Amino acid sequence: MVSQSAVSDHLSEAELFERWSDRWDHFLDDFSAASSSATVSERLRDKVKIGNAERAIAGGNEGREILELLQNARDAIPRETEGGRVYVGVYDEGVLVANTGHPFDMFDPDVEDAVTMIGESSKGNSDQEIGHKGVGLKSILATGDAFEIWTRHENATNETLRVRLSRSYVTTALLSSLGYDTSAFDLRGTVSTEAIQSLITASNADQRTEKLTQDAREDIGKLPLFDFPVPLTTASGAADPVADRASALITGDVDEWYGDPFRTAVFVEYEDTEWRDILEEFDIPQPESSDRDSAGRAERLWSYLSKAAGGEDATSEALTSETLIQFGGIETVLLERVEGTEQPSRERWDVDRTSGPLDSETVRHETVTVAVEGTDASFADQQFDQFGFPDTDAPTQLLVPQTRTEREQLQEYPLYLYYPIENTRDVSLPFCLHGHFTVETNRKDLSLNSLDENQAVLERGVKLVARVAEAAGESNFGDRYPWILLPPPPKSYPDNPSS
């Protein structure tokens, strides 16, 4: 998420809602009860391309989408704070992620564009802003059908903005414009702006009797998720328990385990039943989706996150201490698995940083401890030495796990861009090296088009290792990590930039 711009650059709530209603109006103006199937397909062509692009990004990030959400939560936490809190709740209906950082600033036109326009991002190259909102948020389509934002912001009515992104609204509005009766569908929540509400509910009912062609119906099913935000009132209740929890996290109406109120909560809904019911009613093919079972998806996500559920042998796609440390800026992560009325399972991850003995004018050294405490299990603390250049803005980081015994087997790491670059595992370094590598969209491979840039990042990593080795030579760290003086050379494959 992005830090707030100057106030003068921000939209008022009325201006934001007008921006959205104009977008809706412009889109729906192209359709009427007289539109032929061929015309529908022609006029949906660009939107179908955007929808396909969203799904392609989601497919490339499948299995790591929860880390993308954590990364966006970390981005919201300002650098000047000692550290922020992040909450991740895994529910039967979806996953809820909250943070204590800056608001999710939809009133900033650049942020709004980044969220609603494929591939756009208001972020520069700042190390403070490590995600790409346009791409990172769209990766959530690997997890769910719909997306909802709750955020405290001074420009919002009652200082809280609630925005839902669901294809149920735009699909209903389009079918209505085409002359079909959609009055039987009661969509989620109360829309905050009358202009959008009227577009969703306006109906040319029964003006069209013939069925659209298969191609036209398929195109309607491929509409993008992020193009058409819908602002909702913040009223919630027992009928919508996740929305009720999101509201409570924002207002602080929760028990002390959660701490002070969060600033932003985002909810990814596994299955948008309203949208899928509309598709089924009008015989619109549903887009293919893996792992459609919501219960299975919730368990998969919980096993990624929870140390107790995933076990000590968690996969590289799971949340690990190394990833949490490399993210930076997060002091506490609260994890919760909520299943119906049962008592939730909880885990608390705390990251503690202290200045290390090698901290000097040439190398920055912190001792980092990660403590994990669960509802039914506790775990041994994990300790690391983290090294960097004295410039706090320098992105290159060396993270070394502290071994408990001389016989303890050394871990092997791929290269990291906050979390593992999956297809660099042949590198097998005995430390976790993070740098601003340029990667492919799938985040699994180093970019084929950026060999020189990635070579420079690696050379900077070698320079950091040399500085640490020099500092360690005058302390007991040479005995503690003898390998640091001479890291084993990785395997080299000239035709493979990941090597």
Side-chain angles (χ1 to χ4, degrees), residues 90 92 270 294-304 309 337 339:
V90 179
D92 291 338
Y270 303 134
S294 295
R297 192 167 303 191
E299 291 308 312
R300 175 174 64 86
L301 287 174
W302 184 242
S303 69
Y304 283 177
R337 174 72 176 103
E339 300 181 78

Side-chain angles (χ1 to χ4, degrees), residues 2 42 53 75 90 125 131 190 233-234 300 309 374 403:
V2 182
E42 174 65 26
D75 285 350
V90 179
N125 294 320
T190 302
T233 63
T234 56
R300 175 174 64 86
T403 54

Side-chain angles (χ1 to χ4, degrees), residues 357-436:
L358 300 187
D359 201 38
S360 66
E361 293 182 355
T362 59
V363 66
R364 181 165 48 85
H365 177 208
E366 288 184 326
T367 298
V368 187
T369 302
V370 179
V372 181
E373 186 71 29
T375 304
D376 303 313
S378 58
F379 305 89
D381 292 353
Q382 289 183 280
Q383 292 187 314
F384 301 84
D385 293 300
Q386 187 171 36
F387 301 97
F389 292 100
D391 181 2
T392 57
D393 290 328
T396 306
Q397 302 282 348
L398 192 69
L399 188 64
V400 186
Q402 292 186 6
T403 54
R404 301 184 185 92
T405 68
E406 292 183 1
R407 294 183 177 181
E408 187 172 337
Q409 184 176 358
L410 294 176
Q411 296 189 48
E412 296 183 346
Y413 293 98
L415 300 177
Y416 266 60
L417 179 58
Y418 297 100
Y419 53 83
I421 305 173
E422 183 68 27
N423 292 336
T424 64
R425 291 199 169 274
D426 279 349
V427 173
S428 299
L429 294 173
F431 46 74
C432 179
L433 176 63
H434 157 74
H436 272 186

